[in-house]
Amino acid sequence: MIPFDYRRAQDPADAVTAVAERPGAAFLAGGTNLVDHLKLGVTAPDLLVDVSRLPLDGVESLPGGGLRIGAAVRNSDLAAHPVVRERYPMLSRALLSGASGQLRNAATTAGNLLQRTRCVYFQDVTTPCNKRDPGSGCSAIGGYTRYHAILGASEHCIAVHPSDMAVAMRALDADVIVLSQDGERRVPLADLHRLPGDAPHRDTVLDHADLITAVELPALPMARRSTYRKVRDRASYAFALVSVAAALELDDGMVGDVRLALGGVAHKPWRASTAEEHLRGAPATVETFRRAADAELAAAQPQPGNEFKVRMARNTIVAVLRELAGAHGMGGEHR
Amino acid sequence: MTLQANAMGTPTRRLDGAPKVTGTAPYAYEQPVKNPVYVHAVQSGVARGTIRSIETVAAEAVDGVVAVLTHRNATRLADVGDDELAVLQSDSVAFRGQLIAAVLAETPEAARHAARLIQVTYDDEPADTELRADREDLHAPEGEDPPDDRSRDEFAAAFSSADVRVDQTYTTPMLHNNPMEPHTTVAVWDEESEVRLTMFDSTQGVHVVRSTLAPLFGLRPEQMRVVAPHVGGGFGSKGMPHAHNVLAGLAARAVPGRPVKYAVPRQQMYALTGHRSPTIQRIRLGAERDGRLAAISHDSVEHSSTVKEFAEECGKPTRSLYAGAHRLITQRLATLDVPVPSWMRAPGECPGAFALEVAMDELAEACGVDPIDLRIVNDPELDPKTGHPWSSRRLVECLQEGAERFGWAARDPEPGRRQTGGTLVGMGVAASTYPCFRSPGSVARIEVTDDGRYSVRIGAVDIGTGAWTALTQIAADALGCDMELVKLEIGDTDLPHATVAGGSSGLTSWGSAIVEAARILRHEHGASPRVGTTVEAETPDKPRGVAVHSFGAQFAEVHVDPDTGEIRVPRMLGVFAVGRVINAATARSQLIGGMTMGLSMALHEVGVMDHRTGHVVNHDLAEYHIVTNADVGDVEATWLDDVDPQANPMGSKGIGEIGIVGAPAAVANAVYNATGVRVRDLPITADLLLR
Ligand SMILES: Cc1cc2nc3c(=O)[nH]c(=O)nc-3n(C[C@H](O)[C@H](O)[C@H](O)COP(=O)(O)OP(=O)(O)OC[C@H]3O[C@@H](n4cnc5c(N)ncnc54)[C@H](O)[C@@H]3O)c2cc1C
Ligand code: SF4
């Protein structure tokens, strides 16, 4: 192992300063992703600033009905939180569908958002990868693509963001609270993760020494009827082939409002805005759901080896919307 | 005469159970040694070529590094004609992931870090790693005579005139054994001692490790000792020594007097410790309208490595499982720039039975007969392979009892029609078979000790199967005493020679030797032999003129989500006829373990070889999927009340492998029954069932 320094941050500002002072420093939270990468040689920070014990582990209701989730809240605690389960069930389900019980006990909110892709070539330092080693080439293109993107990829990188939690948060229009040496700012989750473009080594818009302190969810009454569906290669402990986070509000047989986001398809949690537009105000029928899904996926550019994801995403979107519509008493219309 | 069963047949608890669950059972890597050196290996980054340069200065400069071994400075080994074991002996690279260097250091961290600093350049050559059935360089395995023209013609005639024909191709992917305990070795080289090289090794056979490695290092067998205290699974990958064992020896040789500890990291196992070759299998079945088989053929193609030939003999089950006058079985290999394939649980039988048993399902449908009835009408009276009578063959009973217990009658023969709660439901069946091997050459020694007990010694290995317990039960019955009076010692070359724990042959081979020794003891020394009395006996010869096989019937129920194609298997049932079950608890574990591994093969496991580089890219347990608990529903194994007196003196047959044989086909057939989609290529994944 490459020797590195370890330091436990005293408070958020101290953490930011400590990382800002060393270009090779990194924040350490649960370590379930970062420590793996240290062992694999994917990254080699010379200082780890431990933020997992900062007092950022609260979940608080906000005036106006929103929810503030501390950056260090453990995934399992967040999933089990009564307010989350009641008001944002899709988030609870997304969390519980990820990783394993042991990992969720260690993993944190911020660490989960900032976990890196599971692309096998990225994780294997003996294979070229633009994300790990800019300019070295993308091994996935023309290689093993089963877990890769169908939307928003570039010729430089076709990786997907692996988080389940982030997909639900994207559907919920979450904001990320970031502390830097310049003070605190609010970054919409929509803008946090990037598409790869010609700089796939940059997963997010955050800079070195930007500390995530919290995630805020807006009040969204419709999210009480929401769900998360993850399609995967085994029943647990597998990343999504495709996942769907959705909330649906019906108004007399018509779609009043809808939130729809996809996982496993892009370099960022993918908000299905095109589909949402098709859905709003349209009759809540399977036919509408299909058309909306097709409209969203019209832009899909699968790789040889993951063409199936287009149909899988479409079917899953339809199934999830059908299920949510069914929960509104529209169960009769099945496929 | 078959042994009277007292201890045998009871579900006696594992003797090694308490130490294992309390974490006190020492595995090879946990042997307490003083002042060890840790090994971390470097693997080749190309699949074919020669090493042009290998720069080790930076690695040697790392604090704590003791030595860096490469082909330039490693001890020269004797050539034993097995290139897999010629580790660090030349600059040539024959597959991606081959061992090309190793760091020895005071800590595992320093060794791993330094290994990464070694810079290697290659003169690489294009590598050829892709198995295809249309390759022009396919060849029969060494020592195998392909069928002659006459049998080919006869088959062709019988097949083309058959009323009903099935002609399909099935494939299985590259598979990796992945035992829970990785391959580990602790080795000490001692110039001063009579025993030069001592190895604590995670192996399925201590004697085979010694007999293979001693000559490489120029040692006589007595100069080497191998100990396998507890072993966390092998599934064949520890059945013979692989390159890592040699590296451990080379490392020990480099630091005489200091123990070296080497645990192969999980990621490195995918190239180093053996795998199951991918297979491409064409099955042709020609039958009369009622399903009676007239012609059976099984043509299989597998890969082998340029380093060493290994043939995954898929045709094996087809030689014996069903009647049918005309039979044509061929095998061809492509010798590729791939890691060295080796044994994996039921080599040959497992992938072979997948192809054959799915083809039988297709034939049943084509004939309009129930898959169980099809197997019943084709149950052969004599072994079609040898013409010998069966010692016992109770496949039909297994099928019938299984059908009854599983509720087979509820299956709709028309696929894709049954649903519960919006989920497609299907059932499938397949037959299982595995030969009862007896390996010659094991020796058991029984000594009467001064505490009035019997010391039973044999160099067998318990790789987690329960052999320790079962052999104690056998010894107790053979001696006619309580189990408490038997003190069994295994897992050490200081004990009498024993064959490998493989081919489901362990209890037959070792148990027969123990029974024979006990028989001699009683015959020559009576019921109360004097303290110190010692007898030794070798495994008696296997019976001649009789075909001895285990049989079984496997059933699976499959649920498929019509939207996403996701597959769940809520229940599986296996009914087996395996002779006497020596220990009901450990036997059940073996059978359901095999079935679960078969389920895993059916739905999940695939080693993804990137043919541009010859690299298995999904080389860890996050990416190489094995079933999780959530994927495993109610897996039940049961057996007929059976004793096979011709199999061995215990009346038992092997059980370690039969559980995996047939399980993948039962699942695949159930998927077809649920969906109407016939998937002939494993693994069966959700995307293949999308509509
Ligand atoms: C085998 C396996 C299976 C998995 N399966 C799934 C799955 O199915 N679905 C899924 O969603 N996830 C899965 N995961 C990933 C898991 O969710 C992440 O590893 C985890 O959420 C990361 O959180 P952590 O707190 O451990 O982060 P760490 O590993 O500590 O950190 C991750 C990154 O975040 C940075 N970071 C941490 N905290 C902050 C902060 N406050 N501000 C700024 N930067 C910060 C770190 O510097 C690092 O770059 C799996 C992981 C493994 C190992
Ligand atoms: S897809 Fe992205 S992460 Fe994967 S190899 Fe290509 S560049 Fe690297």
Side-chain angles (χ1 to χ4, degrees):
Chain A
M1 197 186 288
I2 301 170
F4 57 83
D5 296 326
Y6 170 88
R7 188 173 148 186
R8 195 174 292 172
Q10 302 305 311
D11 55 49
D14 172 53
V16 170
T17 312
V19 169
E21 280 168 359
R22 293 263 283 265
F27 297 115
L28 173 71
T32 60
N33 194 225
L34 185 57
V35 173
D36 275 2
H37 287 170
L38 297 183
K39 289 195 239 169
L40 294 169
V42 168
T43 181
D46 59 13
L47 168 66
L48 294 184
V49 176
D50 189 342
V51 296
S52 67
R53 295 169 222 225
L54 292 180
L56 301 173
D57 56 353
V59 180
E60 298 146 38
S61 291
L62 294 170
L67 197 68
R68 183 184 167 95
I69 301 161
V73 174
R74 307 289 162 167
N75 288 178
S76 40
D77 293 338
L78 186 58
H81 198 280
V83 175
V84 174
R85 293 182 53 173
E86 188 191 326
R87 290 200 233 147
Y88 308 99
M90 67 157 79
L91 177 57
S92 184
R93 284 179 199 163
L95 283 159
L96 291 176
S97 75
S100 65
Q102 295 91 329
L103 285 160
R104 294 194 295 270
N105 286 342
T108 63
T109 310
N112 191 316
L113 283 178
L114 298 182
Q115 64 173 298
R116 309 206 66 191
T117 184
R118 306 301 293 198
C119 171
V120 293
Y121 302 100
F122 171 74
Q123 298 186 95
D124 182 340
V125 295
T126 70
T127 55
C129 167
N130 286 329
K131 186 182 277 299
R132 192 185 65 246
D133 185 8
S136 63
C138 172
S139 295
I141 296 174
Y144 179 48
T145 59
R146 184 171 179 82
Y147 286 91
H148 286 74
I150 55 170
L151 288 164
S154 77
E155 57 182 327
H156 303 286
C157 179
I158 58 170
V160 299
H161 192 263
S163 169
D164 292 297
M165 180 194 81
V167 178
M169 288 183 171
R170 181 68 190 91
L172 295 169
D173 284 320
D175 282 340
V176 178
I177 314 299
V178 178
L179 182 69
S180 72
Q181 285 195 302
D182 302 334
E184 197 173 271
R185 68 183 194 279
R186 176 178 290 264
V187 181
L189 188 65
D191 301 334
L192 179 73
H193 298 97
R194 298 176 64 258
L195 288 179
D198 59 5
H201 59 286
R202 295 196 57 206
D203 290 354
T204 69
V205 299
L206 297 186
D207 288 323
H208 183 66
D210 274 353
L211 177 75
I212 296 180
T213 54
V215 171
E216 288 189 7
L217 305 180
L220 189 68
M222 68 180 291
R224 284 171 186 266
R225 268 193 228 99
S226 67
T227 195
Y228 185 77
R229 178 85 187 264
K230 178 175 178 180
V231 184
R232 45 186 150 174
D233 273 332
R234 60 182 171 187
S236 93
Y237 207 45
F239 289 90
L241 290 165
V242 159
S243 69
V244 174
L248 184 68
E249 191 171 75
L250 296 190
D251 189 0
D252 201 15
M254 309 295 270
V255 176
D257 201 0
V258 62
R259 296 285 185 282
L260 195 62
L262 309 179
V265 295
H267 199 257
K268 58 190 290 184
W270 190 265
R271 183 67 173 267
S273 315
T274 310
E276 287 183 5
E277 271 167 43
H278 271 75
L279 289 163
R280 281 195 193 96
T285 61
V286 167
E287 198 36 50
T288 306
F289 301 158
R290 279 198 193 124
R291 257 185 287 146
D294 286 340
E296 186 64 47
L297 294 163
Q301 286 186 313
Q303 301 290 320
N306 71 6
E307 299 91 342
F308 69 88
K309 279 192 173 187
V310 179
R311 177 157 289 266
M312 190 175 267
R314 170 190 188 265
N315 288 6
T316 312
I317 291 170
V318 174
V320 165
L321 293 174
R322 202 179 61 215
E323 180 194 326
L324 289 172
H328 287 264
M330 291 203 38
E333 197 193 2
H334 216 76
R335 61 189 35 259
Chain B
M1 212 186 75
T2 308
L3 206 59
Q4 176 73 35
N6 291 315
M8 292 193 300
T10 61
T12 303
R13 286 219 206 137
R14 279 170 197 271
L15 301 176
D16 49 338
K20 277 184 176 164
V21 297
T22 54
T24 54
Y27 288 72
Y29 198 75
E30 291 149 353
Q31 292 303 311
V33 289
K34 284 211 184 75
N35 196 20
V37 177
Y38 295 86
V39 178
H40 194 92
V42 180
Q43 295 178 285
S44 69
V46 301
R48 183 188 170 117
T50 33
I51 296 170
R52 192 191 313 143
S53 69
I54 184 156
E55 187 47 72
T56 59
V57 176
E60 278 152 358
V62 170
D63 214 17
V65 168
V66 175
V68 177
L69 299 183
T70 69
H71 66 278
R72 291 193 308 241
N73 63 355
T75 301
R76 292 303 94 185
L77 299 168
D79 183 359
V80 296
D82 180 347
D83 287 344
E84 184 187 4
L85 303 177
V87 176
L88 306 185
Q89 299 298 297
S90 83
D91 58 1
S92 83
V93 172
F95 61 91
R96 169 128 183 176
Q98 181 181 317
L99 290 178
I100 54 165
V103 178
L104 282 56
E106 302 288 347
T107 64
E109 291 82 5
R112 185 190 279 252
H113 172 45
R116 225 172 251 144
L117 300 178
I118 294 174
Q119 300 280 343
V120 190
T121 60
Y122 306 87
D123 290 314
D124 56 329
E125 296 159 32
D128 184 0
T129 61
E130 194 169 2
L131 181 67
R132 291 188 323 273
D134 63 357
R135 292 182 65 104
E136 292 190 345
D137 58 353
L138 299 176
H139 54 89
E142 276 164 25
E144 191 186 290
D145 292 330
D148 57 21
D149 288 346
R150 213 189 74 196
S151 49
R152 284 175 195 277
D153 292 346
E154 283 174 4
F155 168 79
F159 182 67
S160 62
S161 62
D163 293 336
V164 185
R165 286 190 291 274
V166 168
D167 180 355
Q168 292 293 353
T169 298
Y170 307 85
T171 69
T172 62
M174 189 173 184
L175 296 171
H176 302 269
N177 310 55
N178 270 315
M180 183 106 82
E181 181 203 19
H183 298 61
T184 59
T185 304
V186 174
V188 196
W189 187 281
D190 188 346
E191 283 294 348
E192 312 294 301
S193 156
E194 182 58 21
V195 177
R196 288 292 153 75
L197 180 57
T198 304
M199 269 189 184
F200 294 92
D201 192 34
S202 180
T203 177
Q204 294 173 227
V206 288
H207 286 94
V208 68
V209 173
R210 180 170 77 172
S211 63
T212 311
L213 296 193
L216 279 174
F217 288 95
L219 301 176
R220 283 173 282 110
E222 324 73 87
Q223 292 177 297
M224 185 172 173
R225 179 179 172 207
V226 181
V227 185
H230 290 279
V231 179
F235 306 122
S237 68
K238 297 171 182 170
M240 59 178 100
H242 293 293
H244 69 281
N245 293 90
V246 181
L247 181 62
L250 288 171
R253 189 85 180 77
V255 288
R258 284 192 78 176
V260 301
K261 298 189 84 166
Y262 180 29
V264 182
R266 179 72 55 181
Q267 286 95 338
Q268 297 194 351
M269 287 166 64
Y270 290 73
L272 289 177
T273 58
H275 64 270
R276 197 194 299 280
S277 164
T279 73
I280 304 170
Q281 307 176 58
R282 179 181 182 201
I283 303 270
R284 282 171 291 173
L285 301 176
E288 292 169 35
R289 224 167 290 284
D290 65 357
R292 239 169 269 270
L293 283 163
I296 310 175
S297 122
H298 195 154
D299 303 306
S300 70
V301 179
E302 291 83 31
H303 77 203
S304 185
S305 74
T306 60
V307 174
K308 174 169 164 179
E309 180 162 306
F310 178 87
E312 179 86 22
E313 289 177 73
C314 293
K316 283 193 285 184
T318 309
R319 292 184 194 278
S320 287
L321 200 46
Y322 298 114
H326 299 287
R327 201 170 301 250
L328 184 71
I329 291 164
T330 71
Q331 181 175 26
R332 286 171 303 158
L333 298 178
T335 302
L336 302 178
D337 303 310
V338 294
V340 187
S342 185
W343 294 326
M344 180 163 168
R345 204 172 200 170
E349 269 84 6
C350 168
F354 164 69
L356 176 64
E357 289 298 283
V358 176
M360 285 294 279
D361 204 60
E362 302 204 46
L363 180 65
E365 189 179 36
C367 296
V369 304
D370 186 278
I372 291 179
D373 294 335
L374 179 70
R375 289 171 173 92
I376 293 173
V377 299
N378 286 298
D379 200 55
E381 206 153 309
L382 301 173
D383 174 18
K385 178 184 171 192
T386 58
H388 294 149
W390 303 102
S391 63
S392 66
R393 176 178 165 118
R394 300 177 68 189
L395 173 60
V396 170
E397 281 167 84
C398 291
L399 287 161
Q400 287 167 336
E401 172 150 352
E404 179 71 33
R405 283 177 179 245
F406 200 67
W408 182 253
R411 172 180 176 269
D412 187 339
E414 185 81 21
R417 275 212 311 216
R418 247 185 91 196
Q419 291 209 4
T420 40
T423 302
L424 299 164
V425 178
M427 286 188 197
V429 67
S432 306
T433 182
Y434 200 79
C436 180
F437 292 118
R438 183 186 302 194
S439 312
S442 292
V443 174
R445 186 185 305 142
I446 303 183
E447 187 184 338
V448 184
T449 55
D450 54 13
D451 56 359
R453 298 169 74 198
Y454 298 93
S455 150
V456 180
R457 297 193 166 111
I458 183 163
V461 178
D462 185 335
I463 57 171
T465 54
W468 213 313
T469 314
L471 287 177
T472 305
Q473 291 171 275
I474 291 170
D477 284 355
L479 289 162
C481 68
D482 283 350
M483 276 181 71
E484 289 69 44
L485 294 183
V486 175
K487 212 168 69 188
L488 180 75
E489 286 175 63
I490 57 172
D492 193 332
T493 51
D494 280 354
L495 302 169
H497 181 270
T499 50
V500 73
S504 302
S505 69
L507 284 197
T508 291
S509 310
W510 313 324
S512 301
I514 291 174
V515 172
E516 183 62 10
R519 192 190 62 76
I520 294 171
L521 180 79
R522 289 291 178 239
H523 182 71
E524 292 180 0
H525 304 277
S528 330
R530 260 188 299 146
V531 171
T533 307
T534 304
V535 296
E536 233 179 55
E538 198 171 316
T539 307
D541 289 342
K542 63 179 177 201
R544 289 175 186 283
V546 60
V548 189
H549 290 244
S550 290
F551 292 94
Q554 301 215 23
F555 296 80
E557 179 176 320
V558 158
H559 291 187
V560 177
D561 184 305
D563 297 311
T564 64
E566 285 168 294
I567 306 159
R568 298 286 179 264
V569 182
R571 58 191 188 111
M572 289 174 79
L573 170 69
V575 178
F576 298 94
V578 290
R580 187 196 305 284
V581 167
I582 308 272
N583 184 313
T586 56
R588 181 174 170 275
S589 293
Q590 282 299 300
L591 295 169
I592 64 173
M595 292 167 70
T596 305
M597 200 165 172
L599 169 65
S600 193
M601 173 175 167
L603 301 184
H604 307 289
E605 295 191 35
V606 49
V608 179
M609 160 96 49
D610 188 329
H611 294 297
R612 300 168 305 175
T613 55
H615 192 28
V616 181
V617 293
N618 60 338
H619 50 56
D620 64 40
L621 290 179
E623 322 297 332
Y624 180 93
H625 286 174
I626 293 173
V627 276
T628 63
N629 277 329
D631 296 290
V632 183
D634 177 11
V635 176
E636 199 191 327
T638 174
W639 45 83
L640 305 181
D641 194 8
D642 200 29
V643 177
D644 189 332
Q646 294 187 75
N648 60 40
M650 293 78 70
S652 67
K653 298 176 186 173
I655 49 166
E657 286 157 286
I658 189 167
I660 197 175
V661 181
V667 173
N669 293 340
V671 167
Y672 175 73
N673 183 241
T675 61
V677 181
R678 182 68 77 179
V679 181
R680 301 186 180 88
D681 308 291
L682 294 185
I684 306 172
T685 49
D687 48 304
L688 305 175
L689 304 179
L690 279 179
R691 303 200 279 204

